[in-house]
Amino acid sequence: MPGRPSASRRTVLRGAVVTPVAGLGLAACGPGGGTSAPATPTAPVDLGAESEVPKGGAKLYRDHNVVVSRDASGALKAFSTICTHAGCPINKLQGTTVVCPCHGSEFDATTGKVVRSPATEALASLPVRAEGGKIVAGPGA
């Protein structure tokens, strides 16, 4: 077509470089966050020794997408670590705060409440119990 200018080689090469990089960025923002971690437990799971969760502290169980905390009286609470903002598995625990790697949302591991946006909804609570010195969490626990 005579009235239409063709794209320069530089323009074509620039587009070829930018497109895959943009695709990687979008994949990281998707629900899986680019990982293959399993979903939150759908049945009771043995998380390990009850002694691993100190009073006033928390422990992150990345393989099960669960965080368990223990209050000063010794009562256990468990929450899903699937971020309520974009569905990314949370993989970082700082004290009693869990931090989402995708967009920086932070949640209190003792209550599940959001302490830093962009998330606006609390983490889903999970049933949890101590049985024979072990922590069991998930539906039916």
Side-chain angles (χ1 to χ4, degrees), residues 50-122:
E50 181 182 3
S51 61
E52 293 179 352
V53 182
K55 284 187 178 180
K59 179 164 169 87
L60 180 62
Y61 298 91
R62 287 181 189 93
D63 292 345
H64 299 289
N65 289 325
V66 174
V67 65
V68 176
S69 63
R70 184 188 303 272
D71 66 19
S73 72
L76 295 171
K77 288 188 178 180
F79 299 94
S80 165
T81 56
I82 300 299
C83 183
T84 58
H85 171 247
C88 297
I90 296 171
N91 62 5
K92 187 175 185 182
L93 177 66
Q94 296 176 327
T96 58
T97 302
V98 287
V99 182
C100 181
C102 293
H103 301 105
S105 293
E106 295 181 4
F107 301 86
D108 184 331
T110 64
T111 64
K113 292 183 180 176
V114 176
V115 294
R116 182 172 173 216
S117 60
T120 58
E121 294 180 37

Side-chain angles (χ1 to χ4, degrees), residues 4-12:
R4 207 171 181 190
S6 63
S8 71
R9 181 175 180 197
R10 180 175 288 171
T11 301
V12 171

